[in-house]
Amino acid sequence: MNRRTTRAAVTATATQWLLSAWFLLPMIPVMLWAVARTWPAPLPLPSDWGFSGFLDALHDSATSAFGASLILGTLTAVLATPAGAMAAYALAYGHLRGHRSLSVLLIAPAFVPPFVIVMGLNVTLLRLHVPSLAGISLVLMVTAIPYTTFVMRSAFAGYDVTVEDEARMLGASTRAVLTRVRLPLLAPALATSAFLAFLVGWSDYIVTLLIGGGQFVTVPIRIAAAASGTGNEPVIAALSITAAAPPLLLLVTVGLLSRQRRRRRASANPVTHTPAYLTASGALR
Amino acid sequence: MTAAVDLVNLTRTYPTASAPALKGVDLTVEPGQAVAVLGPSGSGKTTLLRLAAGLDAPDDGDIRLNGASVLHLPPQRRGIAMVSQRPLLFPHMSVLDNVAFGPRMAGAGRMQARNTATRYLELVELPGFGRRRTTELSGGQQQRIALARALAATPQVLLLDEPFSALDSELKSQMHQLLLELRAVLQPTIIMVTHDHHEAMLLADSVAIIIGGMLQQHGPAQSLFTHPQSLAVSRFLGGRNEISGEMRGRAFHCKLGVLRLADGTACAQGRAVMVIRQEAVRLVELTATDADTRGIITHAVAHGARTLVEVCAEGVPLQCEVPPGTPIHVGDHVGVALPVSQRQVLLDDPCPAPSRVGTPAVEHVH
């Protein structure tokens, strides 16, 4: 290994550590608060340790808030991912008139403050007797669509549609083309879209508060309620760590599954029968 | 795995195009035969294949397999497979699953399809490649896999759209050999689009020339070179000698004198052009009895392994190819023999004549 290669390797490692520190350092106080019973200033570490923050959060309806956030995140992902994929497909291949205006319209919810969308809608939804969960999910879907559309549009830009023609000529029906070619090829982009949409639903505060009218309690709402008081630092820290867990878990799971899939493909021994070299006897006919 | 193909009066005009991509093309391919479709870029060759495969619909005409129209059938039910210039392998599948795709779609179980795929991998001389990712293969290997995948679907007709044009000459010749071997074993009906004259002659039983969306001529490759039916075909196939003149009876009157034609050669009377391949023209001694005319060598340039020589005879430029090592000097006086059996007289064409030796050639092939 020459000097230049060594220097590059050291720089890469140092950059990796610095970036990790950049993301992890702000989380250290939260993690310490979560396992602190008392932490008086100006002590650098808590004076008394314990899990009272987690226990108090559990006793204080944190489980139902966690469940509500999970449902909301999942519903947003389920609704916004196919909607974004279809919008992206139409924009990529639909030869739509005014597709530029449509693109701007689809991405608008990302630029418009959520208050603007929600303030008018909450009254309308109430008058129409739309259930809170349905109303919140629909509005969050609109909020998430710019992200899912953007991701899927990038995916379609790199997607060679001629492989579908190839599949059809090899006997694949429209459904088989979808399930065996298009979806597997777009799976990474779909997973990214779903993950982003899940995050939109999981971490939302404004839409849930205004449309739900405070009756639909999710983790962010629970954290905000705890943060509005004083002396709740361990509970707030425990809830914050709990809020970060599902997205991280999802990310790690998807990563592990992808790795496992790659390994399985690489190590698979799919053929048990190895026939002799074919002669001109016409055995293939 | 073979069928007769009849393309009847195929016509296709794309909405944004000013001229039709195909105009009334009729082409018949017998079962187990291979036809090479030659033509300049944009002449409608790929359109022809797309229509046959069902990826596009003609404005008019019919496509028949074994006499039955398949126009109403979607691509997956036509029994036609295609190998394109790009292999278009499925990147999310292993090599084996790519080849097994056709059998799987035909209803075979996973193991059965993979066993079939293994046999086809052996057939394209890539045994043991089944577990590899498609991205781990070279261009030539990918093209072999694409060929195996198309054949494993047991199509009635195999369409080849310039499948070897992206390969280097050595790989190309390996693929030619492979295709010849596959033809011997499987005897599929093949329609192959190519811009390579030599490839067409090597692999196909007959050659069809399409120029400007119209089928100009279809027949054995050799006859197309020696007896083109139009100046467009002659020029496309690289014919360089065109002698203007007039047909009177069975004789062709031109600046070189009176040139007679082979018995049985039919030609309309009046203004015409005699074409004769440069490979057929021979340089002879000035005093040789078989010299049809005499002239002076004006140009001599290396043309691959041979030398292309231009002789000016009675003001008419004549081109011929001579073997390497032939003592040729510009300014020499020579006799020129124009073999009677190779003379072909065609109706005059207002299109520009082929370029002369030493000047940039009009490139018909892209």
Side-chain angles (χ1 to χ4, degrees), chain A residues 81-112:
Chain A
T81 306
M86 285 189 279
Y89 187 84
L91 288 169
Y93 303 113
H95 308 293
L96 297 172
R97 270 190 184 179
H99 64 96
R100 285 178 199 275
S101 312
L102 196 63
S103 298
V104 173
L105 204 66
L106 279 166
I107 210 152
F111 298 116
V112 179

PDB file of all heavy atoms in Angstrom, chain A residues 81-112:
ATOM      1  N   THR A  81     -47.354   5.750  -1.052  1.00  0.00           N
ATOM      2  CA  THR A  81     -46.373   5.076  -1.926  1.00  0.00           C
ATOM      3  C   THR A  81     -46.979   4.717  -3.288  1.00  0.00           C
ATOM      4  O   THR A  81     -46.425   5.121  -4.323  1.00  0.00           O
ATOM      5  CB  THR A  81     -45.777   3.832  -1.238  1.00  0.00           C
ATOM      6  OG1 THR A  81     -45.250   4.244   0.027  1.00  0.00           O
ATOM      7  CG2 THR A  81     -44.671   3.211  -2.058  1.00  0.00           C
ATOM      8  N   PRO A  82     -48.117   3.995  -3.325  1.00  0.00           N
ATOM      9  CA  PRO A  82     -48.673   3.713  -4.665  1.00  0.00           C
ATOM     10  C   PRO A  82     -49.125   4.974  -5.380  1.00  0.00           C
ATOM     11  O   PRO A  82     -48.977   5.074  -6.604  1.00  0.00           O
ATOM     12  CB  PRO A  82     -49.857   2.783  -4.381  1.00  0.00           C
ATOM     13  CG  PRO A  82     -50.095   2.822  -2.927  1.00  0.00           C
ATOM     14  CD  PRO A  82     -48.867   3.329  -2.264  1.00  0.00           C
ATOM     15  N   ALA A  83     -49.658   5.950  -4.618  1.00  0.00           N
ATOM     16  CA  ALA A  83     -50.103   7.194  -5.264  1.00  0.00           C
ATOM     17  C   ALA A  83     -48.909   7.905  -5.899  1.00  0.00           C
ATOM     18  O   ALA A  83     -48.981   8.361  -7.049  1.00  0.00           O
ATOM     19  CB  ALA A  83     -50.777   8.098  -4.234  1.00  0.00           C
ATOM     20  N   GLY A  84     -47.819   7.979  -5.171  1.00  0.00           N
ATOM     21  CA  GLY A  84     -46.608   8.616  -5.700  1.00  0.00           C
ATOM     22  C   GLY A  84     -46.049   7.848  -6.887  1.00  0.00           C
ATOM     23  O   GLY A  84     -45.609   8.449  -7.869  1.00  0.00           O
ATOM     24  N   ALA A  85     -46.082   6.513  -6.795  1.00  0.00           N
ATOM     25  CA  ALA A  85     -45.559   5.680  -7.890  1.00  0.00           C
ATOM     26  C   ALA A  85     -46.386   5.891  -9.154  1.00  0.00           C
ATOM     27  O   ALA A  85     -45.839   6.022 -10.254  1.00  0.00           O
ATOM     28  CB  ALA A  85     -45.578   4.214  -7.482  1.00  0.00           C
ATOM     29  N   MET A  86     -47.715   5.944  -8.981  1.00  0.00           N
ATOM     30  CA  MET A  86     -48.577   6.121 -10.152  1.00  0.00           C
ATOM     31  C   MET A  86     -48.395   7.513 -10.761  1.00  0.00           C
ATOM     32  O   MET A  86     -48.365   7.672 -11.976  1.00  0.00           O
ATOM     33  CB  MET A  86     -50.043   5.881  -9.765  1.00  0.00           C
ATOM     34  CG  MET A  86     -50.334   4.392  -9.581  1.00  0.00           C
ATOM     35  SD  MET A  86     -52.069   4.018  -9.378  1.00  0.00           S
ATOM     36  CE  MET A  86     -52.324   4.390  -7.669  1.00  0.00           C
ATOM     37  N   ALA A  87     -48.288   8.512  -9.878  1.00  0.00           N
ATOM     38  CA  ALA A  87     -48.070   9.880 -10.377  1.00  0.00           C
ATOM     39  C   ALA A  87     -46.746   9.954 -11.134  1.00  0.00           C
ATOM     40  O   ALA A  87     -46.668  10.533 -12.230  1.00  0.00           O
ATOM     41  CB  ALA A  87     -48.064  10.856  -9.207  1.00  0.00           C
ATOM     42  N   ALA A  88     -45.722   9.329 -10.573  1.00  0.00           N
ATOM     43  CA  ALA A  88     -44.398   9.350 -11.217  1.00  0.00           C
ATOM     44  C   ALA A  88     -44.441   8.618 -12.552  1.00  0.00           C
ATOM     45  O   ALA A  88     -43.844   9.059 -13.537  1.00  0.00           O
ATOM     46  CB  ALA A  88     -43.370   8.702 -10.292  1.00  0.00           C
ATOM     47  N   TYR A  89     -45.173   7.504 -12.605  1.00  0.00           N
ATOM     48  CA  TYR A  89     -45.286   6.727 -13.844  1.00  0.00           C
ATOM     49  C   TYR A  89     -45.970   7.563 -14.925  1.00  0.00           C
ATOM     50  O   TYR A  89     -45.527   7.608 -16.074  1.00  0.00           O
ATOM     51  CB  TYR A  89     -46.069   5.437 -13.591  1.00  0.00           C
ATOM     52  CG  TYR A  89     -46.094   4.508 -14.782  1.00  0.00           C
ATOM     53  CD1 TYR A  89     -45.040   3.633 -15.017  1.00  0.00           C
ATOM     54  CD2 TYR A  89     -47.163   4.516 -15.678  1.00  0.00           C
ATOM     55  CE1 TYR A  89     -45.039   2.789 -16.115  1.00  0.00           C
ATOM     56  CE2 TYR A  89     -47.172   3.678 -16.780  1.00  0.00           C
ATOM     57  CZ  TYR A  89     -46.117   2.810 -16.988  1.00  0.00           C
ATOM     58  OH  TYR A  89     -46.115   1.988 -18.084  1.00  0.00           O
ATOM     59  N   ALA A  90     -47.062   8.238 -14.492  1.00  0.00           N
ATOM     60  CA  ALA A  90     -47.798   9.073 -15.452  1.00  0.00           C
ATOM     61  C   ALA A  90     -46.910  10.202 -15.961  1.00  0.00           C
ATOM     62  O   ALA A  90     -46.918  10.524 -17.155  1.00  0.00           O
ATOM     63  CB  ALA A  90     -49.047   9.643 -14.791  1.00  0.00           C
ATOM     64  N   LEU A  91     -46.131  10.786 -15.066  1.00  0.00           N
ATOM     65  CA  LEU A  91     -45.256  11.884 -15.479  1.00  0.00           C
ATOM     66  C   LEU A  91     -44.119  11.384 -16.372  1.00  0.00           C
ATOM     67  O   LEU A  91     -43.693  12.075 -17.292  1.00  0.00           O
ATOM     68  CB  LEU A  91     -44.662  12.579 -14.252  1.00  0.00           C
ATOM     69  CG  LEU A  91     -45.643  13.439 -13.450  1.00  0.00           C
ATOM     70  CD1 LEU A  91     -45.021  13.858 -12.127  1.00  0.00           C
ATOM     71  CD2 LEU A  91     -46.056  14.667 -14.248  1.00  0.00           C
ATOM     72  N   ALA A  92     -43.659  10.167 -16.093  1.00  0.00           N
ATOM     73  CA  ALA A  92     -42.530   9.636 -16.861  1.00  0.00           C
ATOM     74  C   ALA A  92     -42.949   9.098 -18.225  1.00  0.00           C
ATOM     75  O   ALA A  92     -42.247   9.294 -19.208  1.00  0.00           O
ATOM     76  CB  ALA A  92     -41.833   8.536 -16.064  1.00  0.00           C
ATOM     77  N   TYR A  93     -44.075   8.438 -18.290  1.00  0.00           N
ATOM     78  CA  TYR A  93     -44.448   7.746 -19.539  1.00  0.00           C
ATOM     79  C   TYR A  93     -45.806   8.148 -20.120  1.00  0.00           C
ATOM     80  O   TYR A  93     -46.170   7.682 -21.183  1.00  0.00           O
ATOM     81  CB  TYR A  93     -44.484   6.228 -19.316  1.00  0.00           C
ATOM     82  CG  TYR A  93     -43.194   5.663 -18.808  1.00  0.00           C
ATOM     83  CD1 TYR A  93     -43.103   5.122 -17.540  1.00  0.00           C
ATOM     84  CD2 TYR A  93     -42.053   5.681 -19.600  1.00  0.00           C
ATOM     85  CE1 TYR A  93     -41.908   4.605 -17.062  1.00  0.00           C
ATOM     86  CE2 TYR A  93     -40.860   5.180 -19.139  1.00  0.00           C
ATOM     87  CZ  TYR A  93     -40.794   4.635 -17.869  1.00  0.00           C
ATOM     88  OH  TYR A  93     -39.615   4.152 -17.403  1.00  0.00           O
ATOM     89  N   GLY A  94     -46.534   8.998 -19.369  1.00  0.00           N
ATOM     90  CA  GLY A  94     -47.916   9.253 -19.771  1.00  0.00           C
ATOM     91  C   GLY A  94     -48.076  10.236 -20.898  1.00  0.00           C
ATOM     92  O   GLY A  94     -49.166  10.412 -21.406  1.00  0.00           O
ATOM     93  N   HIS A  95     -46.973  10.903 -21.306  1.00  0.00           N
ATOM     94  CA  HIS A  95     -47.053  11.956 -22.326  1.00  0.00           C
ATOM     95  C   HIS A  95     -48.179  12.928 -21.982  1.00  0.00           C
ATOM     96  O   HIS A  95     -49.016  13.257 -22.825  1.00  0.00           O
ATOM     97  CB  HIS A  95     -47.281  11.359 -23.724  1.00  0.00           C
ATOM     98  CG  HIS A  95     -46.292  10.295 -24.069  1.00  0.00           C
ATOM     99  ND1 HIS A  95     -44.951  10.563 -24.261  1.00  0.00           N
ATOM    100  CD2 HIS A  95     -46.423   8.961 -24.198  1.00  0.00           C
ATOM    101  CE1 HIS A  95     -44.316   9.437 -24.528  1.00  0.00           C
ATOM    102  NE2 HIS A  95     -45.173   8.449 -24.482  1.00  0.00           N
ATOM    103  N   LEU A  96     -48.228  13.358 -20.715  1.00  0.00           N
ATOM    104  CA  LEU A  96     -49.304  14.228 -20.267  1.00  0.00           C
ATOM    105  C   LEU A  96     -49.093  15.654 -20.759  1.00  0.00           C
ATOM    106  O   LEU A  96     -47.962  16.136 -20.807  1.00  0.00           O
ATOM    107  CB  LEU A  96     -49.369  14.246 -18.736  1.00  0.00           C
ATOM    108  CG  LEU A  96     -49.690  12.930 -18.046  1.00  0.00           C
ATOM    109  CD1 LEU A  96     -49.513  13.079 -16.551  1.00  0.00           C
ATOM    110  CD2 LEU A  96     -51.116  12.518 -18.362  1.00  0.00           C
ATOM    111  N   ARG A  97     -50.198  16.291 -21.084  1.00  0.00           N
ATOM    112  CA  ARG A  97     -50.108  17.703 -21.420  1.00  0.00           C
ATOM    113  C   ARG A  97     -49.945  18.476 -20.111  1.00  0.00           C
ATOM    114  O   ARG A  97     -50.607  18.169 -19.123  1.00  0.00           O
ATOM    115  CB  ARG A  97     -51.388  18.154 -22.119  1.00  0.00           C
ATOM    116  CG  ARG A  97     -51.307  18.000 -23.612  1.00  0.00           C
ATOM    117  CD  ARG A  97     -52.479  18.671 -24.266  1.00  0.00           C
ATOM    118  NE  ARG A  97     -52.456  18.434 -25.704  1.00  0.00           N
ATOM    119  CZ  ARG A  97     -53.371  18.895 -26.526  1.00  0.00           C
ATOM    120  NH1 ARG A  97     -54.372  19.591 -26.071  1.00  0.00           N
ATOM    121  NH2 ARG A  97     -53.296  18.651 -27.813  1.00  0.00           N
ATOM    122  N   GLY A  98     -49.120  19.460 -20.104  1.00  0.00           N
ATOM    123  CA  GLY A  98     -48.908  20.277 -18.916  1.00  0.00           C
ATOM    124  C   GLY A  98     -48.260  19.508 -17.787  1.00  0.00           C
ATOM    125  O   GLY A  98     -48.589  19.720 -16.623  1.00  0.00           O
ATOM    126  N   HIS A  99     -47.351  18.591 -18.154  1.00  0.00           N
ATOM    127  CA  HIS A  99     -46.751  17.760 -17.100  1.00  0.00           C
ATOM    128  C   HIS A  99     -45.865  18.574 -16.166  1.00  0.00           C
ATOM    129  O   HIS A  99     -45.670  18.207 -15.021  1.00  0.00           O
ATOM    130  CB  HIS A  99     -45.997  16.581 -17.709  1.00  0.00           C
ATOM    131  CG  HIS A  99     -44.826  16.950 -18.552  1.00  0.00           C
ATOM    132  ND1 HIS A  99     -43.558  16.967 -18.066  1.00  0.00           N
ATOM    133  CD2 HIS A  99     -44.751  17.340 -19.844  1.00  0.00           C
ATOM    134  CE1 HIS A  99     -42.733  17.347 -19.023  1.00  0.00           C
ATOM    135  NE2 HIS A  99     -43.443  17.578 -20.112  1.00  0.00           N
ATOM    136  N   ARG A 100     -45.332  19.709 -16.672  1.00  0.00           N
ATOM    137  CA  ARG A 100     -44.499  20.553 -15.799  1.00  0.00           C
ATOM    138  C   ARG A 100     -45.362  21.167 -14.693  1.00  0.00           C
ATOM    139  O   ARG A 100     -44.974  21.176 -13.524  1.00  0.00           O
ATOM    140  CB  ARG A 100     -43.848  21.673 -16.614  1.00  0.00           C
ATOM    141  CG  ARG A 100     -42.697  21.203 -17.460  1.00  0.00           C
ATOM    142  CD  ARG A 100     -42.116  22.355 -18.281  1.00  0.00           C
ATOM    143  NE  ARG A 100     -41.346  21.831 -19.381  1.00  0.00           N
ATOM    144  CZ  ARG A 100     -40.067  21.454 -19.302  1.00  0.00           C
ATOM    145  NH1 ARG A 100     -39.443  21.546 -18.159  1.00  0.00           N
ATOM    146  NH2 ARG A 100     -39.434  20.985 -20.351  1.00  0.00           N
ATOM    147  N   SER A 101     -46.537  21.674 -15.078  1.00  0.00           N
ATOM    148  CA  SER A 101     -47.443  22.267 -14.081  1.00  0.00           C
ATOM    149  C   SER A 101     -47.861  21.199 -13.079  1.00  0.00           C
ATOM    150  O   SER A 101     -47.939  21.449 -11.873  1.00  0.00           O
ATOM    151  CB  SER A 101     -48.686  22.833 -14.770  1.00  0.00           C
ATOM    152  OG  SER A 101     -48.305  23.597 -15.862  1.00  0.00           O
ATOM    153  N   LEU A 102     -48.100  19.999 -13.604  1.00  0.00           N
ATOM    154  CA  LEU A 102     -48.525  18.900 -12.730  1.00  0.00           C
ATOM    155  C   LEU A 102     -47.409  18.542 -11.742  1.00  0.00           C
ATOM    156  O   LEU A 102     -47.675  18.271 -10.559  1.00  0.00           O
ATOM    157  CB  LEU A 102     -48.882  17.680 -13.582  1.00  0.00           C
ATOM    158  CG  LEU A 102     -49.685  16.594 -12.878  1.00  0.00           C
ATOM    159  CD1 LEU A 102     -51.038  17.108 -12.451  1.00  0.00           C
ATOM    160  CD2 LEU A 102     -49.842  15.385 -13.787  1.00  0.00           C
ATOM    161  N   SER A 103     -46.187  18.575 -12.218  1.00  0.00           N
ATOM    162  CA  SER A 103     -45.045  18.288 -11.338  1.00  0.00           C
ATOM    163  C   SER A 103     -44.987  19.300 -10.207  1.00  0.00           C
ATOM    164  O   SER A 103     -44.786  18.938  -9.038  1.00  0.00           O
ATOM    165  CB  SER A 103     -43.733  18.351 -12.119  1.00  0.00           C
ATOM    166  OG  SER A 103     -43.715  17.398 -13.103  1.00  0.00           O
ATOM    167  N   VAL A 104     -45.166  20.579 -10.558  1.00  0.00           N
ATOM    168  CA  VAL A 104     -45.119  21.641  -9.541  1.00  0.00           C
ATOM    169  C   VAL A 104     -46.254  21.440  -8.544  1.00  0.00           C
ATOM    170  O   VAL A 104     -46.071  21.553  -7.329  1.00  0.00           O
ATOM    171  CB  VAL A 104     -45.220  23.031 -10.221  1.00  0.00           C
ATOM    172  CG1 VAL A 104     -45.356  24.134  -9.178  1.00  0.00           C
ATOM    173  CG2 VAL A 104     -44.002  23.265 -11.095  1.00  0.00           C
ATOM    174  N   LEU A 105     -47.436  21.091  -9.080  1.00  0.00           N
ATOM    175  CA  LEU A 105     -48.613  20.892  -8.224  1.00  0.00           C
ATOM    176  C   LEU A 105     -48.379  19.736  -7.238  1.00  0.00           C
ATOM    177  O   LEU A 105     -48.727  19.831  -6.058  1.00  0.00           O
ATOM    178  CB  LEU A 105     -49.807  20.572  -9.119  1.00  0.00           C
ATOM    179  CG  LEU A 105     -51.189  20.882  -8.557  1.00  0.00           C
ATOM    180  CD1 LEU A 105     -51.347  22.388  -8.390  1.00  0.00           C
ATOM    181  CD2 LEU A 105     -52.266  20.341  -9.489  1.00  0.00           C
ATOM    182  N   LEU A 106     -47.749  18.678  -7.747  1.00  0.00           N
ATOM    183  CA  LEU A 106     -47.518  17.512  -6.893  1.00  0.00           C
ATOM    184  C   LEU A 106     -46.504  17.800  -5.792  1.00  0.00           C
ATOM    185  O   LEU A 106     -46.571  17.227  -4.711  1.00  0.00           O
ATOM    186  CB  LEU A 106     -47.036  16.328  -7.741  1.00  0.00           C
ATOM    187  CG  LEU A 106     -48.136  15.570  -8.467  1.00  0.00           C
ATOM    188  CD1 LEU A 106     -47.537  14.659  -9.531  1.00  0.00           C
ATOM    189  CD2 LEU A 106     -48.947  14.727  -7.492  1.00  0.00           C
ATOM    190  N   ILE A 107     -45.578  18.681  -6.081  1.00  0.00           N
ATOM    191  CA  ILE A 107     -44.524  18.952  -5.103  1.00  0.00           C
ATOM    192  C   ILE A 107     -44.908  20.120  -4.179  1.00  0.00           C
ATOM    193  O   ILE A 107     -44.253  20.371  -3.168  1.00  0.00           O
ATOM    194  CB  ILE A 107     -43.176  19.201  -5.816  1.00  0.00           C
ATOM    195  CG1 ILE A 107     -42.022  18.746  -4.923  1.00  0.00           C
ATOM    196  CG2 ILE A 107     -42.994  20.632  -6.260  1.00  0.00           C
ATOM    197  CD1 ILE A 107     -40.805  18.309  -5.665  1.00  0.00           C
ATOM    198  N   ALA A 108     -46.007  20.813  -4.519  1.00  0.00           N
ATOM    199  CA  ALA A 108     -46.431  21.991  -3.756  1.00  0.00           C
ATOM    200  C   ALA A 108     -46.601  21.738  -2.256  1.00  0.00           C
ATOM    201  O   ALA A 108     -46.176  22.563  -1.443  1.00  0.00           O
ATOM    202  CB  ALA A 108     -47.712  22.563  -4.353  1.00  0.00           C
ATOM    203  N   PRO A 109     -47.208  20.618  -1.835  1.00  0.00           N
ATOM    204  CA  PRO A 109     -47.394  20.419  -0.391  1.00  0.00           C
ATOM    205  C   PRO A 109     -46.089  20.455   0.404  1.00  0.00           C
ATOM    206  O   PRO A 109     -46.105  20.738   1.601  1.00  0.00           O
ATOM    207  CB  PRO A 109     -48.023  19.016  -0.311  1.00  0.00           C
ATOM    208  CG  PRO A 109     -48.689  18.836  -1.612  1.00  0.00           C
ATOM    209  CD  PRO A 109     -47.834  19.546  -2.610  1.00  0.00           C
ATOM    210  N   ALA A 110     -44.968  20.189  -0.266  1.00  0.00           N
ATOM    211  CA  ALA A 110     -43.688  20.233   0.448  1.00  0.00           C
ATOM    212  C   ALA A 110     -43.253  21.671   0.702  1.00  0.00           C
ATOM    213  O   ALA A 110     -42.476  21.937   1.615  1.00  0.00           O
ATOM    214  CB  ALA A 110     -42.625  19.493  -0.359  1.00  0.00           C
ATOM    215  N   PHE A 111     -43.750  22.609  -0.123  1.00  0.00           N
ATOM    216  CA  PHE A 111     -43.345  24.011   0.025  1.00  0.00           C
ATOM    217  C   PHE A 111     -44.347  24.814   0.863  1.00  0.00           C
ATOM    218  O   PHE A 111     -43.981  25.763   1.527  1.00  0.00           O
ATOM    219  CB  PHE A 111     -43.206  24.673  -1.357  1.00  0.00           C
ATOM    220  CG  PHE A 111     -42.150  24.046  -2.205  1.00  0.00           C
ATOM    221  CD1 PHE A 111     -42.468  23.401  -3.385  1.00  0.00           C
ATOM    222  CD2 PHE A 111     -40.817  24.084  -1.813  1.00  0.00           C
ATOM    223  CE1 PHE A 111     -41.482  22.809  -4.161  1.00  0.00           C
ATOM    224  CE2 PHE A 111     -39.826  23.507  -2.582  1.00  0.00           C
ATOM    225  CZ  PHE A 111     -40.164  22.868  -3.762  1.00  0.00           C
ATOM    226  N   VAL A 112     -45.614  24.412   0.776  1.00  0.00           N
ATOM    227  CA  VAL A 112     -46.654  25.165   1.490  1.00  0.00           C
ATOM    228  C   VAL A 112     -46.640  24.745   2.964  1.00  0.00           C
ATOM    229  O   VAL A 112     -46.621  23.554   3.268  1.00  0.00           O
ATOM    230  CB  VAL A 112     -48.044  24.870   0.857  1.00  0.00           C
ATOM    231  CG1 VAL A 112     -49.143  25.608   1.591  1.00  0.00           C
ATOM    232  CG2 VAL A 112     -48.032  25.244  -0.606  1.00  0.00           C
TER     233      VAL A 112
END
